[in-house]
């Protein structure tokens, strides 16, 4: 069946429906308008699937793009596992959402084995190469370099971990053949896909053509203007590298002409990368035990460090449960104040304690212990605190306390997917190139990350810098894929978000809405954001009901700014024996599913 982009008509409907109104105010109107776009949605996919914002399904997937959701469901229709579906979706996202994730980036992957009742998680973050300097702004000869010129280009790239992660989890949980998972993305890369609205929005920014010279042939016309929404995009180079990886495995990236092309690419920019082919070959995916804490009658499980996102989410949930007796209502300024204060306290802890646990003693379990969260909650008052010192989750003799160089800001270009298969096995995966289009370098049709910018930029002599750059180390990240279990041990919610440092708030607020307020994913994800990810500030999402909290929060001592907050959430939630779900209405994603025939 011919594919047609549904994004243009849907965007026009949303623009008309939302002009001058909040997300909450237009939810009903958008729902009514949704019927007008169903035909486009079904034409965009090769098959018709159940829309999980409207009905439930036994098999479910949510991703940041319809073609990625479709790729996942194709694998599940063939009898594949949730892992097979996630891999096919990621390969497609690297094509249709290349600014956010792909073969050149890093990922977190959480897996629930329903029959064995076993939760595992895998760390495939981009890592520092074996040859590094003291910081990104220190050259190999010890001279200082300007950060602005290093935030993109070869030196900013970390050793990619997403592809090794996909290979590892397939070996462990895959049911379909490795090569079969590549078929949907290879087909679309060869035949073309409509320019998505979200990618167009990014590339239509002023001076974008000048800033993205490597991308001109793919995404811009002969006048160096970004191609219009819906324009077919063909990426033959990506199809070719996928064909080689499908046949050879991850080694296709660092062997032969592909390895030579990779090394040529990462020499570009203000300073060449220090990555070698041996770095690619020797990358190791880390299997990590998830961190879990109680919240209400649930158990919430997240990625362990080097994710600081998971720690912040668990701390905030528990502090708010301990502090809030009158409910979890974001429309009430008092609760919003408590939320902001909990966020500030959690952020101070993550700045001091979170790093790659292979290089720094991280008291992760102690940081998310319920008794510690309750102690921290007692600090929250009716007005803002004069300062927000880090706590002491373990005895002073176990962790050296000192001034700590602040961690670098996190990425703002990331993607989220979640899948449940017919056997009840589930995957939640947060995956990233770091900033939009990462290093802005393109090799063989995919973008390379700029994850090295997530290390401390200028560590100071005499200060502890848990997140300083070291050989083989992974920088901290806000990414926080999550799985939630009820008091019977049944998986009830899974998902996560894109969106940089604010990911911690996007995940926390939506867990509160879905678990404490029993909202559906589509209800929860359509509401406005509150965030304390930026130091000394409370951010409220412009154009939503959250913005109306500004005056009340200022009266309590907060420094408030009302700004656009372009999250990228995706959640699935159990509904009886099936699943409902949603993808963030601020981006291009969809949540679809189907009921297997007996």
């Amino acid at each position: 069946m011919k594919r047609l982009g549904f994004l243009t008509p849907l965007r026009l409907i949303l623009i008309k429906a939302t002009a001058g109104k909040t997300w909450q105010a237009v939810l009903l109107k958008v729902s009514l308008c949704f019927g007008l776009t169903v035909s486009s949605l079904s034409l965009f996919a090769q098959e018709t699937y159940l829309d999980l914002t409207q009905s439930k399904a036994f098999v479910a997937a949510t991703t940041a793009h319809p073609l990625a959701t479709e790729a996942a469901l194709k694998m599940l229709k063939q009898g594949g596992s949730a892992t097979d579906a996630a891999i096919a979706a990621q390969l497609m996202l690297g094509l249709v959402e290349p600014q956010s994730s792909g073969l050149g980036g890093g990922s977190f992957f959480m897996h629930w084995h329903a029959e064995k009742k076993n939760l595992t998680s895998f760390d495939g973050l981009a890592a520092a190469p074996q040859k590094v300097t003291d910081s990104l702004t220190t050259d190999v000869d010890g001279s200082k370099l300007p950060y602005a010129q290093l935030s993109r280009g070869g030196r900013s790239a970390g050793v990619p971990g997403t592809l090794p992660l996909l290979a590892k989890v397939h070996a462990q949980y895959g049911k379909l053949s490795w090569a079969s998972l590549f078929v949907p993305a290879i087909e679309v890369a060869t035949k073309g896909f409509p320019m998505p609205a979200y990618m167009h929005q990014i590339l239509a920014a002023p001076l974008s053509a000048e800033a993205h010279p490597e991308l001109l042939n793919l995404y811009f016309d002969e006048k160096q203007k970004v191609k219009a929404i819906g324009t077919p995009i063909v990426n033959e180079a990506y199809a070719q590298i996928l064909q080689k990886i499908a046949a050879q495995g991850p080694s296709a990236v660092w062997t032969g002409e592909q390895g030579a092309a990779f090394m040529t690419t990462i020499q570009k920019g203000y300073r060449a990368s220090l990555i070698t082919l041996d770095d690619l070959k020797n990358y190791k995916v880390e299997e990590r035990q998830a961190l879990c804490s109680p919240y209400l009658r649930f158990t919430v499980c997240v990625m362990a460090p080097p994710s600081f996102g998971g720690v912040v989410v668990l701390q905030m949930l528990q502090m708010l449960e301990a502090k809030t007796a009158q409910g979890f209502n974001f429309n009430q300024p008092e609760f919003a104040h408590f939320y902001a204060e909990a966020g500030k306290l959690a952020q101070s802890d993550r700045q001091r304690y979170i790093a790659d646990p292979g290089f720094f003693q991280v008291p992760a379990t102690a940081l998310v212990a319920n008794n510690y969260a309750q102690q921290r909650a007692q600090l929250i008052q009716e007005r803002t605190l004069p300062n927000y010192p880090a706590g002491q989750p373990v005895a002073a003799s176990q962790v050296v306390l000192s001034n700590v160089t602040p961690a670098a800001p996190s990425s703002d270009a990331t993607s989220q997917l979640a899948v449940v298969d017919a056997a009840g096995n589930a995957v939640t995966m947060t995956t990233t190139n770091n900033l939009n289009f990462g290093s802005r370098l393109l090799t063989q049709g995919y973008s390379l990350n700029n994850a090295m910018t997530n290390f401390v930029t200028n560590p100071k002599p005499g200060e502890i810098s848990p997140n300083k750059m070291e050989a083989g180390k992974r920088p901290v990240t806000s990414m926080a894929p999550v799985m939630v279990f009820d008091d019977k041990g049944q998986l009830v919610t899974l998902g996560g978000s894109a969106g940089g440092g604010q990911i911690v708030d996007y995940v926390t607020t939506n867990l509160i809405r879905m678990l404490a307020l029993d909202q559906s994913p589509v209800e929860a994800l359509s509401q406005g954001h509150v965030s304390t990810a930026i130091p000394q500030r409370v951010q409220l999402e412009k154009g939503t009901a959250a913005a109306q909290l500004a005056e009340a929060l200022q009266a309590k001592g907060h420094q408030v700014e009302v700004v656009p907050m372009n999250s990228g959430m995706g959640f699935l939630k159990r509904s009886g024996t099936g699943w409902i779900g949603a993808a963030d209405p601020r981006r291009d994603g969809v949540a679809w599913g189907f009921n297997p025939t007996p």
Side-chain angles (χ1 to χ4, degrees), residues 459-536:
K460 300 174 183 177
E463 288 190 343
I464 298 172
S465 295
N467 191 41
K468 71 178 181 179
M469 189 184 297
E470 297 178 75
K473 191 175 184 179
R474 297 158 205 239
V476 298
T477 176
S478 59
M479 295 195 304
V482 61
M483 289 192 178
V484 181
F485 302 85
D486 65 14
D487 49 9
K488 297 178 182 178
Q490 178 176 242
L491 178 65
V492 292
T493 300
L494 67 155
S497 185
Q502 292 90 343
I503 284 174
V504 298
D505 297 290
Y506 302 152
V507 173
T508 302
T509 55
N510 282 284
L511 289 178
I512 291 171
R513 287 165 177 152
M514 288 188 290
L515 301 178
L517 305 178
D518 197 28
Q519 294 179 0
S520 69
V522 69
E523 289 178 293
L525 271 60
S526 65
Q527 296 180 56
H529 296 309
V530 180
S531 175
T532 57
I534 306 300
Q536 313 303 323

Side-chain angles (χ1 to χ4, degrees), residues 229-253:
I229 296 171
T231 303
I233 305 294
V234 175
N235 191 337
E236 287 285 358
Y238 188 67
Q240 291 170 12
I241 190 63
L242 288 188
Q243 288 167 345
K244 291 173 181 176
I245 297 169
Q248 187 180 332
S251 64
V253 171

Side-chain angles (χ1 to χ4, degrees), residues 288-293 302-308 310-312 314-315 318 349-350 352-357 360-373 393-394 398-399:
R288 302 192 188 278
Q289 184 174 351
L291 286 178
C292 300
S293 294
V302 298
M303 284 294 304
S307 168
F308 72 76
V311 169
V312 172
L314 293 184
Q315 284 196 345
Q318 293 179 97
D349 269 4
R350 77 91 168 171
R352 181 179 296 280
Y353 294 113
I354 305 303
D356 184 335
F360 185 79
Q361 184 181 351
V362 182
T365 303
L367 283 167
V368 300
N370 190 253
N371 60 349
Y372 176 67
V394 294
Q398 293 178 259
V399 176

Side-chain angles (χ1 to χ4, degrees), residues 372-385:
Y372 176 67
Q374 292 190 40
Q375 292 173 19
R376 296 288 277 169
Q378 291 174 11
L379 297 174
I380 299 174
Q381 305 300 318
E382 293 299 319
R383 288 187 55 82
T384 56
L385 298 173

